[in-house]
């Protein structure tokens, strides 16, 4: 298990809805890191959001901005292989691995979780 602190946030993004991505996920996640609302910010791209991210250039630009801010971005390999978008996500700078245990450990830790 990775070490998670009480001041770490995991944003779980599953929605394939573009408006949710732009007006909720990227807005909150980027601002949380930019303004220091949370010490550590991790975005988990999971399910339909993976396909949307690999098809939308504006979201890819927002992703690059978040990565430059220091947001850690990870994605579920099982889902990425289903779509199939694993290589594209990795090309965008996303860490792709099996995230079931990662999410379980985070939930059991002191860190916080928000879902979209």
């Amino acid at each position: 298990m990775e070490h998670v602190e009480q001041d770490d946030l995991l944003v779980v993004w599953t929605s394939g809805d573009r408006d949710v991505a732009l007006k909720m996920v990227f807005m909150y996640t980027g601002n949380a890191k930019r303004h220091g609302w949370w010490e550590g910010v991790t975005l988990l791209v999971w399910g339909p959001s993976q396909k949307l991210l690999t098809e939308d250039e504006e979201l890819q630009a927002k992703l690059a901005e978040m990565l430059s801010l220091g947001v850690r971005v990870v994605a579920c390999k099982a889902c990425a292989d289903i779509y199939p978008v694993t290589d594209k996500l990795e090309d965008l700078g996303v860490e792709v691995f099996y995230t079931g245990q990662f999410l379980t450990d985070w939930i059991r830790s002191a860190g916080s979780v928000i879902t979209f």
Side-chain angles (χ1 to χ4, degrees):
M1 178 178 141
E2 296 186 34
H3 186 71
V4 178
E5 297 291 334
Q6 185 175 4
D7 201 28
D8 289 341
L9 174 67
L10 177 65
V11 177
V12 181
W13 174 33
T14 62
S15 174
D17 185 303
R18 188 172 191 276
D19 281 343
V20 170
L22 287 171
K23 296 177 177 76
M24 297 296 298
V25 177
F26 285 93
M27 185 181 295
Y28 182 78
T29 305
N31 282 329
K33 188 63 177 176
R34 182 180 294 108
H35 299 295
W37 298 338
W38 298 91
E39 181 65 30
V41 179
T42 300
L43 174 62
L44 170 55
V45 186
W46 208 4
S49 61
Q50 294 177 339
K51 187 173 186 291
L52 177 63
L53 180 59
T54 60
E55 296 172 346
D56 190 304
E57 290 183 10
E58 183 178 2
L59 294 180
Q60 292 169 17
K62 299 276 186 192
L63 172 73
E65 180 183 331
M66 284 202 311
L67 289 168
S68 72
L69 290 169
V71 173
R72 181 182 182 198
V73 183
V74 302
C76 174
K77 180 158 175 41
C79 294
D81 287 347
I82 289 168
Y83 278 104
V85 294
T86 302
D87 291 341
K88 179 68 173 175
L89 288 168
E90 289 174 339
D91 290 345
L92 292 170
V94 177
E95 298 174 52
V96 181
F97 58 92
Y98 295 105
T99 58
Q101 188 66 53
F102 171 81
L103 179 58
T104 300
D105 291 345
W106 195 294
I107 292 167
R108 290 180 175 159
S109 74
S112 295
V113 178
I114 187 170
T115 61
F116 294 101

